[in-house]
Structure formats: C-alpha cells, structure tokens
Amino acid sequence: MRKGMLVGRDAQILALSALLDRAIAQAGGAVILRGEAGIGKTALLAHASTLATARGMRAVGVCGVQAEVHIPYAGLHRLFRSLRRDAPAPAVEIESPYRAAMVLLDQLGTRHQRVLVAVDDAQWLDRGSWEALTFAARRIGSDPVAMVLTIRDGEEVDRLLAQAGLPELRLEPLSPVDAGVLLASVAPDLSRPLRERVLEQSAGIPLGLVELGSVAATSGDARLLPSWLPLSTRVERTFAAIVAELPTATRALLLVAALDDGDDVDEILAASSRFEGCPVTVDDVGPAVATRLVQVDDWHRLRFRHPLLRSALYQSAGTAQRRRVHAALADVVVADSDRHVWHRAAAAAGPDEALARELTGLAARAGHRQASGAALAAFQRAVLLSGDAAERGRRLLAAAEVAAEQGDITTARQLLDDVVDEHLRPVDRAWLSYLREGLLITGWSGAARLPVYAGLIDALRRDGDGQRAMNALAAMSLRFYWSNPPPETIQAFLTVADNFDTLTDDPRMIATVGLIAPVERGAVTLEQMTRLLIRFDLTPTEQHVLGVSASGIGALDLSAQFLTAATAGVRAQGRVGALAQVLTSQAFAAAFLGNTRVAVPAAVEAAELAAETGQPAWALTARLIHGHARALTGDTAAARKAADHGESVLLPNARLPMLALVQVVRGVEALADGRPADAYRQLYRIFDADDVAYHPYLRFVAFGHLAEAAAWAGKENALRAIVPPLTRVAGECGSPALVTTLRYAGAVLAGRAEAFGTALAADLSSWPFERARLQQAYGAWLRRQRRAAESRPLLRSAAETFDALGAVPWADRARAELRASGESLRRPVDPADTLTLQEQQIARLAAQGLSNREIAERLFLSPRTITTHLYRIFPKLGIKSRGELSQALTGKFSDGR
C-alpha cells in the first residue's frame, strides 16, 4: 500500500533522489514537502528514507506531535534520541534553538556516515524545535546531510515557511488516471458505480483513495459519508469507526495516547489505568497494532499511523472525557512540573486564578530558555483560566509581546484586540498603547506619547515592580534616541531615571541615561562607561547596551570595544536574535569609524540573522549600515540601492528621524563618487532642524563627512556657520567623535600649517580614518603651497591607512595627490578580496589560531563546513597550510597600478 501511494509522484521522487545524491557528494541541503492532509507526504518521506538507506545513508527521523507543541524542544530531544543508537541517552541540555541547531550540526557533521534527517508533520513541532531544525537546514551545504521536512498547508504554515527560507516541493492531488491506478491497487474488485463514487469523493487525495477505497471494498457504500463533508472529516470518521470496533481498554489507551504530550508506552498505560479505573496492560496495545493504527518501536515509544487518527480520537471524545484524560496524565507526570501544570490546565473546567499564575510562571521560564512558542502557548492558556480581569489583560499583553518577538504580528494584533481597555490597570493601559503603536496598529507617534510612557515606567517603579520598570526604561531608550524628543520630554525621562535610587550603578541604567540624554548627561555617562570598560563581570547584554549608548554619544572607540566583547559573548550563548542586534550595532560603530573590514561582514550577517529571526526593523537598519559601509568601499551602486530601499520603508511609516541614516548613505556615496556639492546637500539635511531627516545626535558622528564635503565643494562659509553651535554641544557632552572632527574642520577652515599641526598632535590612535582624513587634507594643502616634499609622508600615510580600512575612494584620492607631488604609490592588493565574505570571516578566525570547531561555533556552521571552506581558501590565497594564513592575509601585494 505504501508503494501504491507513490503513484504519480515520479517528479518528486526524482527531486528527492537528486537531493540525496548531492548530500552523498558533500553538498547537502534541505527541502520542504508541502501539501494538504492526506496528500501522501508521509509516504513520500518514507520512500526517501528507503532511497537513503539503499545509498548507504543512515535515515533518522522525528514526527511532530500536536500535543507536544507547548513542550520546549520536545521534537528535537526525540531526534537526538534517534541519532543515538544507544537511546535512552541523557537528554541534550538546550539553551536556545540556535545553540541546539549547532549541537545538531555538530552531531551530524562529525559522524562518518551520511545522514538523512526525515521530519514528518513539521507543522506540529514545538516552535523551538522548528527554529533549530530550519536554522540547521540552512547551514548544511558542505555536509553529507539531507533534510526533508513534511508540512501541512495552512495560514500559519505560510508564515513559518516564509521565515524558514527553504526550498519547497509541493504535492498536488493525483490526476484522474493516477487516482484510478492507486484505487485499483487498493480495491481492485469495486463495482463501477462504487469506484466512481470513491474517486469523486477522494478528489485525487491518496489517503482518501486508500482509506475510503478499503472501506468501500469491505462495507460497500454503507459507511461512505456524504461528499459535501470535507475529505479530512470523512477520513477521520472512517478511523473512528475502526477504533469503535476495538476492545474498551484499547480504545481508552488510544485516547490517552492521542492527548498525551509524550510517547512512552508505560506512561500511556499508567494514565490509561487511572482513566479507566482498572489496569490497562501492554497486551491491550496489541489490537491497535494489529489493525495498523499505531506502531511501537524497540524503545517502547508509540506512534500513530496517521495524524488524522489523533484528530478522530479527539473529536470522538466529549469535553468531560478529555478533561478526565488530562487529569489522569497530570497524576502520572507529577514529577515533571511543567507537564504536570499543562495537563492540570487542560483538565480545568473553569477559571482558576492560581493555576493561571502557575502557567504564567511556566511561560516566563520558557521565555528564559528562548522557547517563545511554549511561552506564548502558556500565556494564552493562562488567559483562558484567568479569574481576575486585570490579570487577564496583563497576560494578553505579555502574550502579544511574545508573539511579536516570534515575528507573528498577526497573532500579536489578535491578542491585543482581545484586551478590554477598561479592565486594565492604568500602568497596563499605557503599556497597551505602547504595544499597539510598536506593532504598527496605531502608527508611529514619534515623541508625542513619550511623556505617557514616562508615567508608565514611574508607576511601575512606585508599585514595587522595579525590574519590569527598568526593563521598560531600557527598551524605551533606543526608541527615545530615534524620536527627536523636545527638552521637556527629555527632562521628564531623566527625572524618572533618577528616581531609581537602587539601580544607579546598574550598567543598563548608565547606558539608558546616555541614550535618553546624550548631550545633557553625555559627559558623566562617558566617564562612567570608561570605568566600566575594565569590568570583567559585565554580561553580553550589558556590554551591548553600553556599546549602543557609547555610539549614541559619539564614543565610537569605546563602543567598538564593548560591542566586540558583546558579539563574542552572545555568539557563545547561541542567542541569534540578540546577535543580529549586536552585529547591527557593531557595524554602525565600525562604519562611522571608517572601518569597512569590520562593518561590511557584520552588517551582512546582521541583516541575514535579523531576517531569519523575524526582526524586520533590525534587518532594515543593518541594510542601511551595509549601504554606508559599501559607499566607503566605493561600491556606489549598492549604497544607492540601500538608501532607496530604506527611504521606501521609512517614509510611508513616518519613521522620519531614521531617515538620517539614509542621508548618511547618500552623502558618503556622493563623497566616494567625487560629487562633494551633492554630498554636502545630502548630509546637511541631518543638521537642519527644519528637515524631516534632522537628527541632533547623529550629527556627532556624521560631521566629519559634512566638513570634508564642505571643504572640497568650496562651502567654507556654510561650514563656518555650523561649527560654533556644534562646538558648544561638544563642550557640554564631550562627544569624542564631534571633538575629533571639529579639529579637522578647524584646521581646513584656518588653512594654516599651525592649525593642521595642532589637530594632528591630538591623540588620534583610536580614530585612524579621521587621522588619515586630516593627513590627506594637510598633505594636499602643503602640495598647493609648493611644499611637495613635506606633503609626501602625510599623503603616503593617509593612503596606507585608507587602504587598510578598505576606504578605496579615499585611498585613491590620497594617491592622486601623492602623484601630483611627484611620487607614486601603487594600490596594494588585499588577498582577502579574492574571498567571499564568509570565507574572509573563516580565514581571519583561523589565522587567529581558532580550531575548526571554535570557528563553527562562532559562525553557526558545522565543523565540516569550515573544513570545506578552508580547502577552498588555501588555493585562492596561494598557500598550502593553515600556518600560512596570517602572513597571507596581512601581506601586501601590488596589482601593478
């Protein structure tokens, strides 16, 4: 029958065979088998396993179970057991779905045998397992691994697949001819009228053809239901009729198994005995196995032949009966506190505030383990059990936040729609307003509602919920930075922050205050952050917020140090969603420091990870920063594309202050392209308080480019008008970026050797791009003064620095000035330019002495993939061993120009 169900699937079998062959050739990959219930996905997956075994591959698999969707990493734990032949082995400790993906890749990549990972009913995997498996699936390109996942059609599935980004192989209903062939193999002796009825009712769905054909063959048309019923309903009722003929004890254990979130036979029998009030033994499983309704493997795990059988059992049981089953399961799994709570919740007949509080705690624990799917399910069940209207509202808000973190904006909006505003406490009512705006329900309000949020945070603090208040203040600070709030709003938030007497030494508070008031509190924040730099007990989260705050004040050198540490820490934790944010921040600091060697790969990885983890706002920011970095390299086409895309998203959503990032990209692109007047026009919008792209704090880090554009375009008078107010701001906040670039502006406006000498005498060791920009300006001035010999060392140094940073147009201009002085300097060839971005990352980490496994952990790849990349890197660099990497990457070679 299994073979028969593959009628009409030649194209799909060919595609799966090709996937397996590529895996054998160490070019692994993954595919999604997609289609409606009963279309034959499971049969095709089983056939793929047979094909894999015939090729000498090992086939391991796992099946999603609807009852387990609330158990963090339940599916992945079962897959790990399948990978271990000596199961039951201890469960793998999972910190996050992405760390779990790395454990899976490591286990698959270090085996000598080629592997097929077969995942059935993936739509019913818990969210953590789904994210881990799809994350791993996108990273098995150099491993002898194939992954095939089956998934049932549905609206939720569309969203999941869009985020997964995996190729799909769709299964459609069989053609009339193929349907007839399949039916003939199942029920060859049907009368013509009965055959036509089965074909019509099955509509080309293989499961319908097999099950309804079998019923028709044994019972005629007596048990064929009306065709207006959905096929799934007809098949479910067919299964229910089969179950109804089984002994009472067997029916009981099947119902318990259908509602159980585990698959252990002993557990199912124990709960069945409680449910029935008499012993149910392993002998009672026999009739279900004999009728092929279930299978029991060598490790006493029970699996249903088809998911619709679970549905049939569920539908056939009444509400009271299902509650009794869950009560029995709760008694059996009492040692597992989380499962115990879940089954008690499912057994509850009405509101139970105490149980709702337990579920809320369970949701919080799941959230800490980055099991957002389990957290959302727990919050939603807690909402249904809530006896307190205000607590119900708060749980709805929490559930909406979790759904939004998953990237499921539709569910988040639905949950917020269920909130009854008048039932909320005043604090939660304000938080509802914040969530509605943040989820694009009411639109972006800019700074208008910020005072309301200040009151919300202060009310939380006064109510004794200091930690939640601190979290809210920290979350608000970045939003605050991009809102251009008026002075009175800034002061209101500072007053709220100052009321946190017990948290004044909290690194997050220091960073938050710096973002809220970069001018008013900038100097004191810089002093505090400089002291924190030598602390060894900072968490990656604290390092990240400190790095963001330092960038906001313009302490880019300080920011780079915090963010480098944060990146390493977050990678080690496997928090990929957070890593996307940290890398975006790191790319921001590096781009404004002119360091394209760090900015480009960080921005590319950040954009990819942000898209993978459902963070569109961070993905957009990373793309804009990538455009900025590409402009510095001279890739003006990529820069213009990034700017156009950013503007197309930001303008319609009224995210106007963030347009400053677009103007940076356009301004730097114009500078790189030799259009200084256009560069000045684009950049000046950031400095014009009447422009929608105005940003008072981005001026700190963009002023160097504006000053260069003004000097090059002959707009010295316009620059002179800008310098005094910025000098006053720099005096108040001490922004290092602004102080440094004001020295440059002062020197080019003065046009005297003494002014250039004074500017260069400052400590610019942390500002190589700005030092090179100043050297180039001074060298060009000296050449025009016919002091060519004095200009050459400055121009040579500037060109070499720009080359090292990857700022090609700036380096070319320095070389042009040098040629005009009578000396030529060829452009060096960077060996890394022959490598892809990922190869560059791998090569540089290998050159630092990291092992393949350590590199794999940092880049979320398998060790085998790292090995494969290194084999490709060596010939590109003209080397033969790992020991030559460092010299190859730092060596200077000429391209003859």
Short mmCIF file of all heavy atoms in Angstrom, two decimals, residues 440 443-446 482 616-625 642-666 685 692-693 695 698:
data_model
loop_
_atom_site.label_atom_id
_atom_site.label_comp_id
_atom_site.label_asym_id
_atom_site.label_seq_id
_atom_site.Cartn_x
_atom_site.Cartn_y
_atom_site.Cartn_z
N LEU A 440 2.55 48.50 14.89
CA LEU A 440 2.03 49.17 13.69
C LEU A 440 0.50 49.14 13.62
O LEU A 440 -0.08 49.10 12.53
CB LEU A 440 2.61 48.55 12.41
CG LEU A 440 4.13 48.46 12.35
CD1 LEU A 440 4.56 47.84 11.04
CD2 LEU A 440 4.77 49.83 12.51
N GLY A 443 0.15 53.31 14.32
CA GLY A 443 1.09 54.18 13.61
C GLY A 443 2.13 54.76 14.54
O GLY A 443 2.01 54.74 15.76
N TRP A 444 3.17 55.28 13.93
CA TRP A 444 4.30 55.83 14.68
C TRP A 444 3.95 57.22 15.20
O TRP A 444 3.58 58.12 14.45
CB TRP A 444 5.50 55.89 13.75
CG TRP A 444 6.74 56.48 14.34
CD1 TRP A 444 7.24 57.72 14.11
CD2 TRP A 444 7.65 55.86 15.24
NE1 TRP A 444 8.41 57.91 14.80
CE2 TRP A 444 8.68 56.78 15.50
CE3 TRP A 444 7.68 54.61 15.85
CZ2 TRP A 444 9.73 56.47 16.34
CZ3 TRP A 444 8.73 54.32 16.70
CH2 TRP A 444 9.73 55.24 16.93
N SER A 445 4.05 57.44 16.49
CA SER A 445 3.66 58.72 17.09
C SER A 445 4.85 59.60 17.39
O SER A 445 4.68 60.69 17.95
CB SER A 445 2.86 58.47 18.37
OG SER A 445 3.69 57.88 19.36
N GLY A 446 6.06 59.16 17.03
CA GLY A 446 7.24 59.98 17.31
C GLY A 446 7.40 60.22 18.79
O GLY A 446 7.32 59.31 19.60
N TRP A 482 15.67 57.69 18.72
CA TRP A 482 15.24 57.92 17.34
C TRP A 482 13.93 58.69 17.25
O TRP A 482 13.25 58.64 16.22
CB TRP A 482 15.10 56.58 16.62
CG TRP A 482 16.40 55.92 16.34
CD1 TRP A 482 16.93 54.83 16.96
CD2 TRP A 482 17.38 56.32 15.36
NE1 TRP A 482 18.17 54.53 16.46
CE2 TRP A 482 18.47 55.42 15.46
CE3 TRP A 482 17.44 57.35 14.41
CZ2 TRP A 482 19.59 55.53 14.65
CZ3 TRP A 482 18.56 57.44 13.61
CH2 TRP A 482 19.63 56.55 13.72
N PRO A 616 12.29 42.63 11.33
CA PRO A 616 12.40 43.46 10.13
C PRO A 616 13.03 44.83 10.38
O PRO A 616 13.74 45.34 9.51
CB PRO A 616 10.96 43.57 9.64
CG PRO A 616 10.10 43.24 10.83
CD PRO A 616 10.89 42.26 11.63
N ALA A 617 12.75 45.43 11.53
CA ALA A 617 13.32 46.76 11.80
C ALA A 617 14.85 46.69 11.90
O ALA A 617 15.56 47.54 11.36
CB ALA A 617 12.74 47.33 13.08
N TRP A 618 15.35 45.65 12.57
CA TRP A 618 16.80 45.49 12.67
C TRP A 618 17.40 45.12 11.32
O TRP A 618 18.52 45.56 10.98
CB TRP A 618 17.14 44.45 13.74
CG TRP A 618 16.98 44.96 15.12
CD1 TRP A 618 15.89 44.83 15.92
CD2 TRP A 618 17.93 45.72 15.88
NE1 TRP A 618 16.09 45.45 17.13
CE2 TRP A 618 17.34 46.01 17.13
CE3 TRP A 618 19.22 46.19 15.63
CZ2 TRP A 618 17.99 46.73 18.13
CZ3 TRP A 618 19.87 46.92 16.62
CH2 TRP A 618 19.27 47.18 17.85
N ALA A 619 16.69 44.34 10.54
CA ALA A 619 17.18 43.98 9.21
C ALA A 619 17.32 45.22 8.34
O ALA A 619 18.31 45.38 7.60
CB ALA A 619 16.25 42.96 8.55
N LEU A 620 16.33 46.11 8.41
CA LEU A 620 16.39 47.35 7.64
C LEU A 620 17.57 48.21 8.07
O LEU A 620 18.31 48.75 7.24
CB LEU A 620 15.08 48.13 7.81
CG LEU A 620 15.06 49.51 7.16
CD1 LEU A 620 15.17 49.40 5.65
CD2 LEU A 620 13.79 50.27 7.56
N THR A 621 17.76 48.35 9.39
CA THR A 621 18.88 49.15 9.89
C THR A 621 20.21 48.56 9.43
O THR A 621 21.11 49.30 9.01
CB THR A 621 18.83 49.22 11.43
OG1 THR A 621 17.55 49.71 11.84
CG2 THR A 621 19.91 50.13 11.96
N ALA A 622 20.32 47.24 9.51
CA ALA A 622 21.57 46.60 9.08
C ALA A 622 21.82 46.84 7.59
O ALA A 622 22.97 47.06 7.17
CB ALA A 622 21.51 45.11 9.38
N ARG A 623 20.76 46.82 6.79
CA ARG A 623 20.93 47.06 5.36
C ARG A 623 21.39 48.49 5.09
O ARG A 623 22.20 48.74 4.19
CB ARG A 623 19.62 46.78 4.62
CG ARG A 623 19.28 45.29 4.54
CD ARG A 623 18.02 45.04 3.75
NE ARG A 623 18.16 45.41 2.34
CZ ARG A 623 17.22 45.21 1.42
NH1 ARG A 623 16.08 44.62 1.77
NH2 ARG A 623 17.40 45.56 0.17
N LEU A 624 20.88 49.44 5.84
CA LEU A 624 21.32 50.83 5.67
C LEU A 624 22.78 50.99 6.07
O LEU A 624 23.55 51.68 5.40
CB LEU A 624 20.42 51.76 6.49
CG LEU A 624 19.04 52.04 5.90
CD1 LEU A 624 18.16 52.78 6.90
CD2 LEU A 624 19.18 52.85 4.61
N ILE A 625 23.17 50.35 7.15
CA ILE A 625 24.56 50.44 7.59
C ILE A 625 25.47 49.75 6.57
O ILE A 625 26.57 50.23 6.29
CB ILE A 625 24.72 49.83 8.99
CG1 ILE A 625 23.93 50.66 10.02
CG2 ILE A 625 26.19 49.76 9.39
CD1 ILE A 625 23.76 49.98 11.35
N ALA A 642 20.62 50.58 -1.25
CA ALA A 642 20.26 50.51 0.17
C ALA A 642 19.52 51.76 0.62
O ALA A 642 18.53 51.69 1.36
CB ALA A 642 21.53 50.32 1.01
N ALA A 643 19.98 52.93 0.15
CA ALA A 643 19.34 54.19 0.54
C ALA A 643 17.92 54.26 -0.01
O ALA A 643 16.98 54.66 0.70
CB ALA A 643 20.16 55.37 0.04
N ASP A 644 17.73 53.87 -1.27
CA ASP A 644 16.39 53.91 -1.86
C ASP A 644 15.44 52.98 -1.13
O ASP A 644 14.28 53.33 -0.87
CB ASP A 644 16.46 53.52 -3.34
CG ASP A 644 17.18 54.57 -4.19
OD1 ASP A 644 17.37 55.70 -3.70
OD2 ASP A 644 17.55 54.24 -5.34
N HIS A 645 15.94 51.78 -0.80
CA HIS A 645 15.07 50.82 -0.08
C HIS A 645 14.72 51.37 1.29
O HIS A 645 13.55 51.30 1.71
CB HIS A 645 15.79 49.48 0.06
CG HIS A 645 15.05 48.51 0.94
ND1 HIS A 645 13.90 47.88 0.56
CD2 HIS A 645 15.31 48.08 2.21
CE1 HIS A 645 13.46 47.12 1.53
NE2 HIS A 645 14.29 47.21 2.55
N GLY A 646 15.70 51.90 2.01
CA GLY A 646 15.44 52.43 3.34
C GLY A 646 14.40 53.54 3.32
O GLY A 646 13.47 53.57 4.14
N GLU A 647 14.53 54.45 2.38
CA GLU A 647 13.57 55.56 2.28
C GLU A 647 12.18 55.06 1.95
O GLU A 647 11.18 55.55 2.48
CB GLU A 647 14.04 56.55 1.23
CG GLU A 647 13.21 57.83 1.19
CD GLU A 647 13.81 58.86 0.25
OE1 GLU A 647 13.94 58.54 -0.96
OE2 GLU A 647 14.15 59.96 0.71
N SER A 648 12.09 54.02 1.09
CA SER A 648 10.79 53.50 0.69
C SER A 648 10.06 52.86 1.85
O SER A 648 8.82 52.78 1.85
CB SER A 648 10.96 52.47 -0.45
OG SER A 648 11.56 51.28 0.03
N VAL A 649 10.80 52.39 2.86
CA VAL A 649 10.17 51.79 4.04
C VAL A 649 9.90 52.84 5.11
O VAL A 649 8.82 52.87 5.72
CB VAL A 649 11.07 50.68 4.61
CG1 VAL A 649 10.49 50.14 5.92
CG2 VAL A 649 11.23 49.54 3.61
N LEU A 650 10.84 53.73 5.34
CA LEU A 650 10.75 54.67 6.46
C LEU A 650 9.72 55.76 6.22
O LEU A 650 8.99 56.15 7.12
CB LEU A 650 12.12 55.28 6.74
CG LEU A 650 13.18 54.29 7.23
CD1 LEU A 650 14.56 54.94 7.26
CD2 LEU A 650 12.83 53.75 8.62
N LEU A 651 9.67 56.31 5.01
CA LEU A 651 8.76 57.43 4.74
C LEU A 651 7.29 57.03 4.91
O LEU A 651 6.56 57.72 5.63
CB LEU A 651 9.01 57.98 3.34
CG LEU A 651 10.01 59.14 3.24
CD1 LEU A 651 10.18 59.56 1.80
CD2 LEU A 651 9.57 60.33 4.08
N PRO A 652 6.82 55.94 4.31
CA PRO A 652 5.40 55.59 4.48
C PRO A 652 5.01 55.31 5.92
O PRO A 652 3.86 55.49 6.30
CB PRO A 652 5.25 54.33 3.61
CG PRO A 652 6.36 54.39 2.63
CD PRO A 652 7.49 55.02 3.37
N ASN A 653 5.97 54.83 6.71
CA ASN A 653 5.67 54.51 8.12
C ASN A 653 5.99 55.66 9.05
O ASN A 653 5.92 55.50 10.27
CB ASN A 653 6.47 53.27 8.54
CG ASN A 653 5.92 52.00 7.92
OD1 ASN A 653 4.88 51.50 8.31
ND2 ASN A 653 6.62 51.48 6.91
N ALA A 654 6.32 56.83 8.49
CA ALA A 654 6.58 58.05 9.26
C ALA A 654 7.70 57.89 10.27
O ALA A 654 7.72 58.55 11.29
CB ALA A 654 5.30 58.51 9.96
N ARG A 655 8.66 56.97 10.01
CA ARG A 655 9.82 56.82 10.89
C ARG A 655 10.87 57.85 10.46
O ARG A 655 11.95 57.52 10.00
CB ARG A 655 10.38 55.41 10.77
CG ARG A 655 9.33 54.32 10.98
CD ARG A 655 9.28 53.87 12.40
NE ARG A 655 8.19 52.93 12.64
CZ ARG A 655 8.06 52.22 13.74
NH1 ARG A 655 8.95 52.32 14.70
NH2 ARG A 655 7.05 51.41 13.91
N LEU A 656 10.52 59.12 10.60
CA LEU A 656 11.29 60.18 9.96
C LEU A 656 12.70 60.37 10.53
O LEU A 656 13.64 60.59 9.75
CB LEU A 656 10.49 61.49 10.02
CG LEU A 656 9.11 61.41 9.35
CD1 LEU A 656 8.40 62.75 9.43
CD2 LEU A 656 9.22 60.95 7.92
N PRO A 657 12.91 60.34 11.85
CA PRO A 657 14.28 60.54 12.32
C PRO A 657 15.28 59.53 11.77
O PRO A 657 16.45 59.85 11.57
CB PRO A 657 14.15 60.41 13.84
CG PRO A 657 12.74 60.83 14.13
CD PRO A 657 11.95 60.28 12.97
N MET A 658 14.81 58.30 11.47
CA MET A 658 15.72 57.30 10.93
C MET A 658 16.12 57.59 9.48
O MET A 658 17.03 56.97 8.95
CB MET A 658 15.10 55.91 11.03
CG MET A 658 15.06 55.35 12.43
SD MET A 658 14.66 53.58 12.49
CE MET A 658 16.15 52.86 11.79
N LEU A 659 15.46 58.58 8.86
CA LEU A 659 15.89 59.00 7.53
C LEU A 659 17.30 59.56 7.56
O LEU A 659 17.96 59.66 6.52
CB LEU A 659 14.93 60.04 6.96
CG LEU A 659 13.56 59.51 6.50
CD1 LEU A 659 12.64 60.68 6.16
CD2 LEU A 659 13.71 58.60 5.30
N ALA A 660 17.77 59.95 8.74
CA ALA A 660 19.14 60.43 8.86
C ALA A 660 20.13 59.37 8.40
O ALA A 660 21.17 59.70 7.79
CB ALA A 660 19.43 60.84 10.30
N LEU A 661 19.83 58.09 8.66
CA LEU A 661 20.71 57.01 8.20
C LEU A 661 20.73 56.94 6.67
O LEU A 661 21.77 56.66 6.06
CB LEU A 661 20.25 55.67 8.77
CG LEU A 661 20.47 55.44 10.27
CD1 LEU A 661 19.87 54.11 10.69
CD2 LEU A 661 21.94 55.49 10.61
N VAL A 662 19.58 57.20 6.05
CA VAL A 662 19.51 57.23 4.59
C VAL A 662 20.40 58.35 4.06
O VAL A 662 21.14 58.18 3.09
CB VAL A 662 18.06 57.42 4.12
CG1 VAL A 662 18.00 57.60 2.60
CG2 VAL A 662 17.19 56.24 4.54
N GLN A 663 20.33 59.52 4.71
CA GLN A 663 21.12 60.67 4.25
C GLN A 663 22.62 60.43 4.43
O GLN A 663 23.43 60.90 3.64
CB GLN A 663 20.68 61.92 4.98
CG GLN A 663 19.26 62.36 4.68
CD GLN A 663 18.97 62.38 3.18
OE1 GLN A 663 18.12 61.68 2.68
NE2 GLN A 663 19.73 63.20 2.45
N VAL A 664 22.99 59.69 5.47
CA VAL A 664 24.40 59.34 5.64
C VAL A 664 24.87 58.51 4.45
O VAL A 664 25.93 58.77 3.86
CB VAL A 664 24.62 58.57 6.96
CG1 VAL A 664 26.01 57.93 6.98
CG2 VAL A 664 24.47 59.50 8.14
N VAL A 665 24.07 57.51 4.08
CA VAL A 665 24.45 56.65 2.96
C VAL A 665 24.59 57.48 1.69
O VAL A 665 25.58 57.36 0.95
CB VAL A 665 23.40 55.53 2.75
CG1 VAL A 665 23.79 54.67 1.54
CG2 VAL A 665 23.27 54.66 3.99
N ARG A 666 23.62 58.35 1.46
CA ARG A 666 23.67 59.15 0.23
C ARG A 666 24.83 60.15 0.25
O ARG A 666 25.47 60.39 -0.78
CB ARG A 666 22.33 59.87 0.03
CG ARG A 666 21.23 58.89 -0.35
CD ARG A 666 19.93 59.57 -0.69
NE ARG A 666 19.03 58.61 -1.30
CZ ARG A 666 17.71 58.65 -1.20
NH1 ARG A 666 17.14 59.63 -0.52
NH2 ARG A 666 16.96 57.75 -1.80
N ARG A 685 21.08 67.79 5.49
CA ARG A 685 19.71 67.55 5.96
C ARG A 685 19.71 67.02 7.39
O ARG A 685 18.77 67.27 8.15
CB ARG A 685 19.01 66.57 5.03
CG ARG A 685 18.75 67.10 3.63
CD ARG A 685 17.93 66.14 2.81
NE ARG A 685 16.63 65.90 3.40
CZ ARG A 685 15.76 64.97 2.96
NH1 ARG A 685 16.09 64.20 1.92
NH2 ARG A 685 14.60 64.80 3.57
N VAL A 692 12.96 66.90 7.79
CA VAL A 692 12.43 65.67 8.39
C VAL A 692 13.54 64.68 8.71
O VAL A 692 13.36 63.78 9.54
CB VAL A 692 11.40 64.99 7.48
CG1 VAL A 692 10.15 65.82 7.35
CG2 VAL A 692 12.00 64.67 6.11
N ALA A 693 14.70 64.82 8.06
CA ALA A 693 15.82 63.89 8.31
C ALA A 693 16.75 64.41 9.40
O ALA A 693 17.80 63.81 9.65
CB ALA A 693 16.61 63.67 7.02
N HIS A 695 18.61 64.94 12.76
CA HIS A 695 18.86 64.11 13.94
C HIS A 695 19.95 64.77 14.78
O HIS A 695 21.11 64.85 14.36
CB HIS A 695 19.30 62.70 13.54
CG HIS A 695 19.13 61.71 14.64
ND1 HIS A 695 19.96 61.67 15.75
CD2 HIS A 695 18.19 60.73 14.83
CE1 HIS A 695 19.55 60.70 16.56
NE2 HIS A 695 18.49 60.13 16.03
N LEU A 698 22.95 62.12 15.63
CA LEU A 698 23.70 61.54 14.53
C LEU A 698 24.68 62.57 13.95
O LEU A 698 25.64 62.21 13.27
CB LEU A 698 22.76 61.02 13.45
CG LEU A 698 23.27 59.82 12.63
CD1 LEU A 698 23.46 58.61 13.53
CD2 LEU A 698 22.34 59.48 11.49
#
